[in-house]
Amino acid sequence: MSSPDTAQPRAADAAGPAPPLGPGPAASGGRLVWRPRGTDAVQTTASLAALVLMILVFSVLDAQFRSWDNVVAVVDAAAVLAVVTVGLTFVLLLGAIDLSVEGVIGACALTVALLVANSRTGLDLGVLGVAATVALGAAFGLLSGVLSTRLRIPSFLTTLGVYAIGLGVATILFSGERPIVEDPWLGDWASSRFLGFTIVSWVAAGAILVGWLIQRYTRVGRYAYAIGGAEDIARLSGVPVARYKTAAFAVAGAFYGLGAVMATSQLGSGVVQAGSGLNFSAIAAAVIGGTLLVGGRGGVLQSMIGVLVLTVLQNGLILAGVSPYAQQAVQGVIVVVAVAAATWPVRHRLGVVK
Amino acid sequence: MSTDTAPEVARPSEAPRQPDGSSRVRRELVRFMPLIILAVLLVLLSLRNPDLLTQRSLTTMADSAAPLMVLAVGITVVILCGGIDLSIGALASFASVLTALWVPSMSGAVVVPVVLVCALAGVVQGWIHIAARVPSFIVTLGGMSLWTGLALAFSGASTVAVTDIAALRWAFTRIGGTVPSALVIALGVVVVLGAVMRFTPFGRWVASVGHAEPAARLAGLPVSMVKIAAFGVSGACAGLAGVLLVARTFSGAPTLGESLLLPAVAAVIVGGTAITGGHGGLFRTVVGALIVVLLRTGLSLIGVDAGFEPIFYGVLIIIAVSVTIDRSKVAVLK
């Protein structure tokens, strides 16, 4: 599904020096239609197979797993992670990383809880409050992007800094008293259902669609592939790299903001730790799905496969009675294995890995 | 100092940088900036609040500085190699849980197995980083999740109290009634590690790997072993920091060390060790840790909301990195 997107940077790869993960010269003809091209496609295919296998195994082992109620539960549980992962995918496509997710979500969760009808402020902005929160998320993303591109600092450090800033903003807004959401409209996001699924799940579906459209049809999305594929070549081709990198970070931030709104609706109040654990899960989901950390590979839909893998695994293990803490430990291992597996065949060509 | 651009693989897009007058002044300024900042901070804060320099307040500060210093010194070795270790906070938490669980059976000797386990954890992370060629921040991010998960599982997600307080008294007492033993331990770590770096080839190897890894490899240095050892040192320091935390709070908890990652990274970078590797040293990190602790104490003295503390670390990290980073080393910034 992403072959038209990557066609342009890949052609550039062939001419450029040492593409990071390009296919061998023999595969550059593109005549073979159904041959997984590149390690990202292998990863995506493997993840789909793993997902199907997991669903089969859990269904056979556990009658509760294969109930319709559980399907709904899995989708509802995946919603927030899915939206955050859509955002993070844009940053990963650049070849950058975003460690600010939990901080941004904390700040946005408190913001939305204080802007809609709540127990602490007299505000009742409703939809406007949600929009402002998404804008705040985008502003945090913009900050990460501007700092990374203008100060020329690796993104894992700028976003680590922005994570801390977001956490601080959240703590200050929290100021010792939890704002309880009293807006019935936002409360309904988590409680009322449409065709069986919660509104939050439908919002997530909409967000995934929007994310895919941005990736597919806007310059932010398409240049993200070009920049992630080979940044120096994109720059030489006249792509305003810094501007579109910053824009991709801002798009990601907007999705974190939306994720914070959804999480706040589910929690019923503004919580500083609303995003706890989400950053790592989102990176894990994206990588498992085939959005590689080297950049330029994968995409929103591939990342969503990873989200499903993680959520189904979590759901199945909970039903099987495995401790959620052990699952966190397992998730750490899975990510490292997934990253290693993605680059394993070409690891000797990677040069200096810091 | 003047050789920092020499072993570089020259990038055609970058103009070759000569250490001309202005850049040398700047470099010297950057070099001594941490000490100047520390002195200015000390003067300003003690003018504002004379209580800062009382023995009571100084020992309190030293107590809180000790675990931070141990953590920061460990991660300095990794950063000097050009890598990063994001797992140290989680590993310190894990160590605190292990310590609290093992004190009943091992008493004060618990520090040995805990530090060994954590060193092993670091070595494993380093080995994966080398063998699978996965960027260090990903391996250690995975480690962060793994150690936190294990700490939560081992402790049942709750605080484990240490009832045998005497067992760890050595790590939280006053030597001669005045000097906090934790600070002595922390400085001891600095001295021992500093001596190893200074008087064995290890220090030069670490700096060479950080300066120019391909050149170090071609020169026949055991690059992989050096990097793995660096992660081992970082892990061991995280373990010791965990023990110090338990000694101070009389309990181990799965999130005890989590909040120390940012200040530790800030201490290393503010001290003047470049995130790109090669430049810096343990002593600088000690200065950086003192700056971070002074700032933290100073902020609360002035009465700033505690919520500003993380904002402060964030801004500090970004500013300090942008000053100390060697941009000729990173061709494409990811």
Side-chain angles (χ1 to χ4, degrees), chain A residues 20 94-97 99 147-169 171-172 175 227-232 235 245 280 283 293-295 323 325-333 335-336 339-341 343-344 346-354, chain B residues 11 14 81-84 86 128-129 131-150 152-153 156-157 209-211 213-214 227 261-262 265 269 275-277 305-315 317-319 321-322 325 327-334:
Chain A
L94 297 172
I97 188 98
L99 301 181
L147 289 173
S148 302
T149 54
R150 301 297 161 188
L151 290 181
R152 309 229 298 129
I153 307 178
S155 54
F156 82 87
L157 271 172
T158 42
T159 52
L160 196 64
V162 171
Y163 155 75
I165 294 172
L167 209 60
V169 170
T171 313
I172 293 166
S175 64
I227 294 169
E231 187 171 329
D232 35 2
R235 182 176 290 118
K245 258 186 157 177
F280 194 69
I283 295 174
L293 293 174
V294 289
S323 148
Y325 312 125
Q327 290 180 39
Q328 184 176 2
V330 170
Q331 212 176 71
V333 177
V335 154
V336 176
V339 173
T343 52
W344 186 261
V346 292
R347 66 189 187 284
H348 295 301
R349 286 201 272 138
L350 289 179
V352 175
V353 177
K354 294 266 173 164
Chain B
R11 293 267 155 202
E14 301 266 347
C81 281
I84 185 89
L86 297 175
I128 293 172
H129 163 55
R133 316 215 85 193
V134 179
S136 54
F137 78 89
I138 288 296
V139 177
T140 53
L141 201 62
M144 195 164 145
S145 191
L146 174 61
W147 312 128
T148 305
L150 288 181
L152 284 165
V209 170
H211 265 310
E213 195 180 319
K227 281 176 139 182
L261 172 66
L262 277 173
V265 174
I269 298 169
I275 199 75
T276 34
D305 188 322
F308 281 97
E309 203 180 293
I311 297 184
F312 219 79
Y313 294 141
V315 173
I317 287 178
I318 291 171
I319 292 176
V321 167
S322 67
I325 192 171
R327 291 189 176 78
S328 68
K329 214 167 243 169
V330 267
V332 174
L333 279 154
K334 294 280 188 176

Side-chain angles (χ1 to χ4, degrees), chain A residues 13 29 62 76 81 121-122 134 150 187 197 199 232 265 269 314 348 352:
Chain A
D13 269 359
D62 196 329
D76 286 344
L81 178 61
T121 60
V134 174
R150 301 297 161 188
F197 296 100
I199 308 294
D232 35 2
S265 158
S269 57
Q314 197 168 20
H348 295 301
V352 175

Side-chain angles (χ1 to χ4, degrees), chain B residues 8 87 320 330:
Chain B
E8 278 307 313
S87 71
V330 267

Side-chain angles (χ1 to χ4, degrees), chain A residues 23-116:
Chain A
S28 62
R31 287 184 305 275
L32 300 169
V33 183
W34 183 239
R35 186 180 152 201
R37 295 187 299 171
T39 44
D40 54 331
V42 176
Q43 185 100 10
T44 307
T45 319
S47 295
L48 262 180
L51 182 62
V52 171
L53 191 71
M54 267 192 319
I55 291 175
L56 284 177
V57 170
F58 284 135
S59 306
V60 171
L61 289 180
D62 196 329
Q64 209 184 333
F65 181 84
R66 50 179 190 262
S67 67
W68 175 249
D69 282 350
N70 194 49
V71 173
V72 172
V74 167
V75 171
D76 286 344
V80 175
L81 178 61
V83 171
V84 172
T85 310
V86 169
L88 192 77
T89 298
F90 284 94
V91 177
L92 295 185
L93 281 178
L94 297 172
I97 188 98
D98 197 337
L99 301 181
S100 71
V101 173
E102 293 173 15
V104 173
I105 288 186
C108 288
L110 263 298
T111 307
V112 74
L114 291 172
L115 287 182
V116 301

